[in-house]
Amino acid sequence: MALSSSAFAAARGASGMTLDQIRDAAGVKSISTYVSHEDNPGAFRLAEIEGMYQTMKEPAKSLLRDAVCEIFLPE
């Protein structure tokens, strides 16, 4: 099953974070790395997702949880 990047993009948008802020939260070295991960969500590491989650507020956290479930608990 191909994973959709829309849930990660939605969480990022709902967080109101800039690409620089989300990159820092994820702990990746460049914006292009973050964008690449967002385009291919299976490339995210759990530590990156945890960093993003810790910096987000609801409803962005809920959207990020949904995105993670899409990776680990596909229907």
Side-chain angles (χ1 to χ4, degrees), residues 39-63:
D39 289 341
N40 179 19
F44 275 115
R45 294 183 172 144
L46 289 177
E48 295 165 352
I49 294 170
E50 180 183 16
M52 293 185 301
Y53 186 83
Q54 295 301 323
T55 61
M56 293 178 173
K57 296 179 180 167
E58 291 296 342
K61 281 187 174 185
S62 179
L63 293 170

Side-chain angles (χ1 to χ4, degrees), residues 1-5 8 36-46 48-49 67 70-72:
M1 171 176 119
L3 298 173
S4 168
S5 64
F8 283 91
S36 173
H37 285 32
E38 191 174 274
D39 289 341
N40 179 19
F44 275 115
R45 294 183 172 144
L46 289 177
E48 295 165 352
I49 294 170
E70 186 177 327
I71 292 173
F72 293 103

